[in-house]
Amino acid sequence: HRYSSYEFSFERPDEPKLATLRARLGLDSLLVGASGDFERINRVRHLVSSLWHHRSPFPEYPEWNALDILDRRDRLGYGGMCVQFSQVFIQSLLSLGYQARFIMEFCHEIAEVYVDELGKWVFVDPESVFDAYEYDTRTGLPLNALEQHRWFLSEYGFSPEHPVDWMTPNPWAYYKGAPSPPGPKPPLDFATSTGWINDPVHPGYPPLHRLAGYFRIRLRNNWFSQPYPRPLSQGMEYWPWNGFLTWYDDATPRVRQFALHSDREADFYPTMHQVEYFLNSTAREDEIAIRMITFTPNLDRFEISLDGGGWMESPSEFIWKLRRDARNTLDMRVVNLFGRTGKPSGVELMYHYKEPFSPRSSNW
């Protein structure tokens, strides 16, 4: 398992504003009949994208919380632009027990969501004019921001020998009406509910990965319980706020005005909501000592399933009693305080039959 070297501040599960937001948007009824985590997440995405149409959040730039943004929408008829869509989306998912965080790319703010059934962070854009995520057509797997960034480098031909020059942003970053880069298109496509990003009338509008010349994560999502410090007018001028962790690599030099940088993938994508386990022998050959650990915000409990017998609650340390069958299986998972279950981990052991040596009598 991978662990971040940076501390991330997660929203408290008992924050009362989460329940207020969940009820205000009718999220429980929205998710009736949804068959999995990713469908639920994308139902919320589509709902948030439909709450108003993209527009400047000035005047009266709203606070960094969904309830204030929705109040602004009710008062003025619109809630703002990509920053505000992402904030409503992130906090809506937090109210349902999913972890989501704020991502900044070139001229755009979106969200990444941890999808338990995929075991990965996924880039999801709830903006009214995008309402999309991007996926690899070879595998069907949706992308995260780092995967988008790597496709960006490949498509534009950036490398350690030809790194991004931050002082000359054209043509590495997209501008309205800018031509697409030459060469074959990457094996990527959209899952979206709007035709805007594929509109032939606006060919300069890019696939989402072309915004990933850089990407940064904000190291907290606890805007309800801790509203400060915060940017005052994010997205309405150059993005100077210094509370981001910014990715860099050999083709993407550090942006010097930002303090926090990392090229360590685990700092951005730690293993979450899964069980890391340790097996140790005991004095008995048919017993294995198990210890489970996890990085799971709002952890409620561990659960195990022995030989496919169904899930049951378990302490983090226990003795696994092996059966004298060829195959013994142990599956382990976490459950958070919202009842969301993580992707299971599993181990299989073969039990080989043996008895103490006992020679036959010689007068047989």
Side-chain angles (χ1 to χ4, degrees):
H1 285 203
R2 304 185 302 189
Y3 297 90
S4 175
S5 53
Y6 289 87
E7 182 179 358
F8 191 98
S9 298
F10 294 93
E11 185 61 88
R12 293 166 31 206
D14 59 348
E15 167 55 56
K17 293 185 181 69
L18 291 176
T20 301
L21 176 63
R22 183 170 175 167
R24 181 168 178 174
L25 290 179
L27 298 181
D28 291 323
S29 59
L30 174 72
L31 301 183
V32 171
S35 60
D37 292 326
F38 205 40
E39 182 183 357
R40 296 184 188 98
I41 289 165
N42 282 287
R43 284 193 185 188
V44 177
R45 180 205 88 202
H46 189 45
L47 169 69
V48 171
S49 75
S50 68
L51 292 175
W52 69 88
H53 197 272
H54 173 103
R55 193 167 171 182
S56 166
F58 277 3
E60 301 179 27
Y61 197 94
E63 297 291 329
W64 280 78
N65 76 72
L67 296 175
D68 191 72
I69 295 167
L70 293 175
D71 288 344
R72 185 185 195 279
R73 190 276 310 259
D74 294 344
R75 186 173 65 254
L76 301 178
Y78 60 95
M81 56 181 187
C82 53
V83 178
Q84 286 72 44
F85 280 105
S86 294
Q87 195 66 12
V88 174
F89 178 58
I90 289 168
Q91 292 183 316
S92 295
L93 292 177
L94 294 178
S95 77
L96 296 166
Y98 296 105
Q99 285 301 331
R101 65 189 185 187
F102 195 90
I103 295 282
M104 177 186 167
E105 293 182 346
F106 178 74
C107 293
H108 196 38
E109 281 88 3
I110 58 287
E112 277 190 320
V113 186
Y114 192 81
V115 184
D116 285 301
E117 61 192 355
L118 300 177
K120 67 175 294 188
W121 288 93
V122 172
F123 168 104
V124 181
D125 191 340
E127 243 276 23
S128 63
V129 291
F130 284 97
D131 187 18
Y133 62 87
E134 207 167 18
Y135 64 94
D136 189 325
T137 58
R138 299 167 303 177
T139 64
L141 288 174
L143 304 184
N144 58 41
L146 179 56
E147 291 165 337
Q148 289 182 310
H149 174 71
R150 287 170 173 163
W151 279 115
F152 165 88
L153 296 178
S154 174
E155 189 170 359
Y156 280 91
F158 290 108
S159 67
E161 294 73 30
H162 175 50
V164 173
D165 182 354
W166 295 119
M167 301 307 294
T168 55
N170 209 6
W172 67 265
Y174 106 95
Y175 285 91
K176 187 180 295 186
S180 299
K185 293 183 178 180
L188 304 178
D189 203 351
F190 304 99
T192 182
S193 300
T194 176
W196 189 85
I197 54 177
N198 292 315
D199 186 353
V201 179
H202 303 95
Y205 293 145
L208 298 176
H209 68 275
R210 290 192 196 156
L211 300 177
Y214 57 72
F215 74 96
R216 305 175 182 129
I217 64 171
R218 193 160 290 158
L219 290 169
R220 66 189 188 94
N221 61 13
N222 59 341
W223 296 96
F224 274 144
S225 58
Q226 185 185 329
Y228 303 101
R230 63 177 175 84
L232 295 177
S233 56
Q234 176 81 8
M236 298 308 299
E237 54 190 42
Y238 183 72
W239 289 260
W241 196 64
N242 210 13
F244 292 97
L245 176 64
T246 302
W247 173 267
Y248 80 99
D249 50 49
D250 289 340
T252 314
R254 302 182 190 210
V255 183
R256 296 297 183 179
Q257 62 266 38
F258 293 102
L260 299 178
H261 293 79
S262 177
D263 63 348
R264 183 173 177 266
E265 193 167 337
D267 289 338
F268 293 83
Y269 298 102
T271 305
M272 291 184 62
H273 296 186
Q274 296 184 49
V275 174
E276 183 172 8
Y277 57 86
F278 303 87
L279 286 71
N280 291 286
S281 59
T282 67
R284 293 178 55 93
E285 67 175 23
D286 60 348
E287 291 184 349
I288 303 293
I290 305 293
R291 182 165 70 93
M292 300 182 288
I293 63 173
T294 187
F295 173 49
T296 300
N298 309 324
L299 175 67
D300 181 43
R301 63 187 184 273
F302 290 98
E303 290 186 340
I304 63 172
S305 175
L306 297 171
D307 304 306
W311 293 103
M312 58 184 177
E313 187 172 353
S314 171
S316 61
E317 298 186 20
F318 64 97
I319 298 297
W320 181 16
K321 179 74 173 179
L322 301 179
R323 300 175 303 144
R324 290 198 172 193
D325 291 344
R327 179 178 289 110
N328 285 256
T329 61
L330 169 64
D331 295 300
M332 296 156 278
R333 72 182 185 186
V334 295
V335 183
N336 72 11
L337 291 169
F338 292 81
R340 301 293 176 202
T341 56
K343 183 178 180 180
S345 303
V347 62
E348 178 180 291
L349 289 180
M350 302 297 292
Y351 193 104
H352 295 284
Y353 177 84
K354 60 182 179 179
E355 294 289 352
F357 177 63
S358 179
R360 296 173 184 259
S361 168
S362 60
N363 17 324
W364 60 278

